[in-house]
Amino acid sequence: MTDYSGEALPAARKKIQVKPIVQVGAGNALEIYDFMVYGYYARYISQAYFPSDNEYVSLMLTLMTFALGFFARPFGAIILGAYTDRHGRRKGLIMALTLMSIGILCIALTPTYSSIGIAAPILVIFGRLLQGFSAGAELGGVVVYLAEISPPNRRAFYTCWQVGSQQFAVMAASLIGLVMLYTMDVQDLHDWGWRIPLLIGCAVIPLMFWLRTNLQETEVFAKKKTTPTVKEICRSLVTGWRVIVTCMGMVAMATVTAQTVTTYAPTFIKSLNLGEHVGFITLFFVGLSILFWLPITAMIADRVNRKTMLIVVTVVGALSAWPLLSWLAADPTVFKFVVFELWFSFMYACYSSVQVAAMVELVPAHARTAGYSFAQAVAAAVLGGLTPAICTWLNHTFNSNAMVGVWLGFNAVLSLIAVLTLDHKQTAINQRVELH
């Protein structure tokens, strides 16, 4: 077997390493599962922790709390990312899982506002901030780990499982939500049933720790004779600001599309008056669709220039967003909603399968986790985390569900601009060489 430059790959790296992919992916799935559950049950959580006579105000408070978790990500990216770059990929992933677990428990077990008053929303906000802080380095840590154990000609395939693992979380959360809708009384679901998915997430935490603690350090990091100080890592982020800004732009389409077709979907389906059960069924197939297309498009991304593929996908995404949402909003039907969800789940799979690999190849080697995580976290905070709130506000303000298409199209254009700044030749070189 040879890489793109014709150099033979080490024999030990010819076989796909399934075990470490599962070990790092499982914890990442739990992280995303909890984010999804919070978004899915936003309307119930709003009444439990942010009660108001105005349902719109209550929902917006809940969605803004959801966004707070994203705003904590940049801080986690720098602090935990620097810790990972200095002390190892394995230790960083275990630390992120620890903080994430505390955050999940905090939200799942906090009594309602009617029971403990103002302490309830404060504890929930604290839990969301802690989850966001851990996610700031968790997602980047998983990507970097997978990139460092992969051969160059399979890097996109390996790293795509960071996104792939999230789809298991989407599918699990949607199935649990569907079962609850059909088996629980509406009032029970409103009062306490929404906690069940959170408690299920808590129950699998011990398994996640077992998987992470048995994880081996990457060969790339183990070979490092010296590791950078926190000061050196932060300095590299400042001096390499152009690369970081480019990466932030590249994340725009991925994070907004993901939040729109998954987290925002149950709220969107309600505004379309199509029934909650339709949303959960569709979400399962959205996760399945992304999981199906990811490895296929990743294998393509390992064979063509990453820049070319990114341009094609962003252009198609930008051009299709408004027409598709206008078509859906004009006369909402289940069929139209499913078409919208499956089309943009396909767009997301096509884009993220190559964008993740391109980013990890672009950031500075000695600050790989911090650099990738920070760019991802800032874009996710400013754009992705606010997506449910922005879409809700746009629909409410302009009285049109088609406005979701404006937000999707705008972010596809942002990513296109960022991708156009990449050097075509250097991109090809980056995807052919071993990471160091």
Side-chain angles (χ1 to χ4, degrees):
M1 184 180 295
T2 59
D3 66 12
Y4 283 99
S5 62
E7 297 176 357
L9 293 172
R13 306 192 73 177
K14 290 181 180 179
K15 187 177 180 180
I16 295 176
Q17 302 177 65
V18 177
K19 183 180 177 181
I21 292 176
V22 173
Q23 286 176 297
V24 296
N28 188 50
L30 177 62
E31 178 90 55
I32 299 304
Y33 170 85
D34 192 63
F35 268 79
M36 294 298 102
V37 167
Y38 189 95
Y40 293 172
Y41 297 97
R43 290 183 179 273
Y44 300 119
I45 294 173
S46 65
Q47 293 304 311
Y49 298 124
F50 306 95
S52 171
D53 294 333
N54 188 316
E55 183 181 355
Y56 171 69
V57 172
S58 185
L59 176 60
M60 285 300 290
L61 285 172
T62 305
L63 295 177
M64 290 307 295
T65 302
F66 174 79
L68 276 178
F70 283 83
F71 282 110
R73 286 190 181 190
F75 300 98
I78 293 176
I79 298 172
L80 291 181
Y83 175 86
T84 303
D85 283 326
R86 183 163 174 76
H87 298 285
R89 314 311 187 201
R90 177 181 176 276
K91 288 183 178 180
L93 288 169
I94 292 174
M95 178 65 75
L97 179 61
T98 301
L99 296 176
M100 171 183 63
S101 300
I102 296 172
I104 293 174
L105 289 167
C106 189
I107 296 174
L109 302 178
T110 296
T112 62
Y113 184 92
S114 61
S115 299
I116 60 174
I118 193 65
I122 289 175
L123 285 171
V124 170
I125 289 172
F126 173 75
R128 290 298 302 163
L129 289 173
L130 202 56
Q131 285 179 308
F133 185 84
S134 66
E138 165 73 20
L139 304 184
V142 170
V143 169
V144 169
Y145 188 95
L146 294 174
E148 289 187 349
I149 67 171
S150 66
N153 66 334
R154 284 181 175 170
R155 192 172 294 136
F157 180 81
Y158 270 68
T159 56
C160 84
W161 293 107
Q162 183 267 329
V163 177
S165 65
Q166 298 175 8
Q167 306 320 307
F168 289 104
V170 172
M171 293 163 68
S174 61
L175 282 179
I176 292 170
L178 194 61
V179 170
M180 288 170 58
L181 277 177
Y182 279 106
T183 59
M184 293 189 66
D185 180 81
V186 174
Q187 190 59 45
D188 287 339
L189 186 60
H190 181 277
D191 292 341
W192 56 269
W194 55 268
R195 291 185 188 270
I196 294 176
L198 290 169
L199 293 172
I200 291 174
C202 294
V204 301
I205 288 175
L207 174 61
M208 300 300 105
F209 271 103
W210 179 76
L211 290 171
R212 284 281 169 92
T213 53
N214 285 283
L215 194 65
Q216 297 295 314
E217 185 56 80
T218 70
E219 185 179 334
V220 173
F221 186 85
K223 284 183 175 179
K224 290 181 181 291
K225 295 180 179 180
T226 59
T227 55
T229 63
V230 175
K231 184 178 181 180
E232 290 172 335
I233 292 171
C234 292
R235 187 187 298 120
S236 71
L237 297 182
V238 174
T239 57
W241 67 270
R242 287 184 177 83
V243 170
I244 301 300
V245 170
T246 298
C247 288
M248 289 178 189
M250 290 170 65
V251 173
M253 179 175 173
T255 187
V256 169
T257 302
Q259 292 303 316
T260 301
V261 300
T262 56
T263 309
Y264 178 65
T267 302
F268 192 29
I269 198 83
K270 188 173 179 64
S271 69
L272 294 169
N273 298 313
L274 297 178
E276 284 186 280
H277 65 286
V278 173
F280 284 115
I281 293 173
T282 304
L283 281 169
F284 176 83
F285 286 101
V286 163
L288 192 62
S289 169
I290 296 172
L291 197 58
F292 173 79
W293 290 113
L294 267 174
I296 295 174
T297 54
M299 286 188 284
I300 296 173
D302 277 326
R303 287 165 172 76
V304 302
N305 188 286
R306 307 223 198 277
K307 180 178 179 179
T308 301
M309 188 168 173
L310 288 169
I311 290 174
V312 171
V313 179
T314 50
V315 169
V316 174
L319 293 178
S320 62
W322 172 254
L324 187 56
L325 266 297
S326 296
W327 174 65
L328 170 61
D331 181 26
T333 65
V334 173
F335 172 75
K336 289 183 177 181
F337 180 75
V338 171
V339 170
F340 155 67
E341 287 280 308
L342 292 182
W343 172 249
F344 273 96
S345 69
F346 172 66
M347 286 286 95
Y348 174 63
C350 290
Y351 186 74
S352 60
S353 63
V354 60
Q355 168 253 325
V356 170
M359 272 181 59
V360 80
E361 292 163 351
L362 201 59
V363 294
H366 63 283
R368 186 168 287 135
T369 307
Y372 182 99
S373 298
F374 184 71
Q376 170 73 34
V378 172
V382 177
L383 303 172
L386 287 174
T387 286
I390 288 174
C391 289
T392 300
W393 176 81
L394 285 171
N395 290 345
H396 181 80
T397 302
F398 294 94
N399 195 31
S400 171
N401 287 310
M403 295 305 295
V404 174
V406 173
W407 184 237
L408 283 168
F410 171 75
N411 285 279
V413 172
L414 280 183
S415 288
L416 174 60
I417 293 171
V419 169
L420 289 173
T421 66
L422 298 177
D423 183 270
H424 188 88
K425 184 177 180 180
Q426 187 60 50
T427 300
I429 294 173
N430 290 344
Q431 69 185 79
R432 294 174 182 172
V433 299
E434 294 274 3
L435 296 179
H436 61 277

